[in-house]
Amino acid sequence: MSVRETISFQLNGRPVTLSVPITMDSLTMLRDELKMTGTKYGCGEGECGACTILVDGVSVNACLMFAVDCDGRDVTTIEGLHKGSMSRLQELFVEEGAVQCGFCTPGMIMQATSLLRQQPEMTVDQIRRGIEGNLCRCTGYKKIVDAITAAVHENAVVEEGDA
Ligand code: FES
Ligand code: FES
């Protein structure tokens, strides 16, 4: 029988408490235990960025983080950016044609949100470097970079809660 631990943390602004196996990763906890299926499983090895979430406002690959390490933290998934309607950054992804199959999109949006909060005045080169860990098989990245660039121009993500 696997050893379990009870953890409590903020998930998309709401408190959650649950028991998890100490070997479980955060991605499995979010998708299977908490039904936050917007966060995607791509590689399970930290190579694709599909599982990107924010932990205390910083982007993290959920597949590489133990679920127990969420204890006491502030965790945001793509569902947490939708406050009755899409965030402006999400709208810009749609407007710029940056979403094709959509598999990479939640992770890309979370990574971009983290980048925009840390560095609102990013250049195109800084945007390209910032999303290097997020793979997209469909778009060739240009439209994704265009969408994030538009967000920079609009100052669309200024602080926690405004995404
Ligand atoms: S599933 Fe986590 S980086 Fe690919
Ligand atoms: S839109 Fe298909 S993987 Fe990025």
Side-chain angles (χ1 to χ4, degrees):
M1 200 175 84
S2 63
V3 178
R4 301 180 75 90
E5 196 169 302
T6 298
I7 59 173
S8 298
F9 61 98
Q10 292 286 317
L11 176 60
N12 298 330
R14 295 193 176 153
V16 294
T17 297
L18 75 165
S19 167
V20 291
I22 59 168
T23 53
M24 179 179 276
D25 62 83
S26 297
L27 179 58
T28 303
M29 173 184 70
L30 288 167
R31 287 183 57 83
D32 295 354
E33 304 293 323
L34 297 167
K35 309 305 177 197
M36 292 291 155
T37 53
T39 308
K40 301 303 181 201
Y41 179 96
C43 64
E45 298 177 347
E47 297 292 337
C48 75
C51 65
T52 305
I53 58 171
L54 303 183
V55 178
D56 295 337
V58 177
S59 60
V60 169
N61 288 331
C63 68
L64 295 184
M65 182 177 178
F66 284 118
V68 292
D69 288 334
C70 289
D71 191 41
R73 315 290 287 275
D74 189 357
V75 176
T76 307
T77 66
I78 189 70
E79 290 88 348
L81 298 189
H82 194 281
K83 295 185 166 57
S85 62
M86 284 194 293
S87 69
R88 182 62 188 138
L89 180 59
Q90 288 172 302
E91 288 177 350
L92 286 168
F93 266 62
V94 174
E95 289 172 17
E96 297 289 338
V99 181
Q100 289 188 24
C101 83
F103 191 81
C104 72
T105 308
M108 203 65 88
I109 297 262
M110 299 313 284
Q111 179 65 13
T113 298
S114 176
L115 292 170
L116 287 160
R117 285 180 179 156
Q118 288 169 48
Q119 199 172 355
E121 304 288 325
M122 278 184 296
T123 65
V124 168
D125 277 350
Q126 287 170 326
I127 291 170
R128 286 204 187 103
R129 281 201 298 278
I131 60 168
E132 270 175 359
N134 292 74
L135 303 186
C136 175
R137 290 174 302 177
C138 307
T139 65
Y141 299 97
K142 182 181 181 309
K143 292 180 177 184
I144 291 171
V145 172
D146 288 347
I148 301 170
T149 303
V152 169
H153 291 156
E154 286 190 15
N155 202 15
V157 177
V158 287
E159 61 187 37
E160 193 79 29
D162 287 350

